[in-house]
Amino acid sequence: MPNNDKLKCAECTRRGRPYVSLSWESINSTRDNLREEIAGDEAEVERLIDLLTEAKSRLKRKRVVLEQAEGRARKKLKCLVEELEV
């Protein structure tokens, strides 16, 4: 009966891939760690998206207020120019 490791190793060699002779515990541990890291990164992305959304909202409000202030300044300047022309 042929050794399954050698068959697998020959198959990997034929396909040009290294043979993975790691234990399931090691593989599962790596997968679990990566899943935790991915979940943490996704949470961080969500937090940053929320911060960006809040910053965009503040920026939009401030631009509206600035435009209103500039409009009032233009009206005031127009009134002053009209007073000087009289």
Side-chain angles (χ1 to χ4, degrees):
M1 180 181 239
N3 185 348
N4 286 338
D5 288 344
K6 290 190 180 213
L7 289 175
K8 189 124 184 161
C9 198
E11 181 182 336
C12 290
T13 303
R14 181 175 52 84
R15 292 185 181 187
R17 289 186 274 179
Y19 176 63
V20 179
S21 61
L22 298 173
S23 68
W24 281 110
E25 292 82 19
S26 176
I27 293 171
N28 288 337
S29 174
T30 300
R31 289 174 24 188
D32 291 342
N33 289 341
L34 288 172
R35 284 184 182 129
E36 288 176 13
E37 289 178 14
I38 289 170
D41 288 345
E42 288 174 340
E44 179 71 8
V45 166
E46 289 299 320
R47 186 184 71 78
L48 292 172
I49 288 172
D50 290 343
L51 286 173
L52 181 59
T53 301
E54 290 173 15
K56 283 183 176 182
S57 180
R58 285 192 309 271
L59 183 58
K60 185 176 179 179
R61 284 192 307 271
K62 289 177 181 179
R63 284 183 175 154
V64 167
V65 171
L66 176 61
E67 184 58 37
Q68 292 170 346
E70 288 176 345
R72 289 190 296 269
R74 283 190 297 271
K75 287 180 184 178
K76 178 75 173 179
L77 181 60
K78 183 178 176 183
C79 288
L80 290 174
V81 169
E82 288 175 0
E83 284 180 14
L84 290 174
E85 290 176 351
V86 175

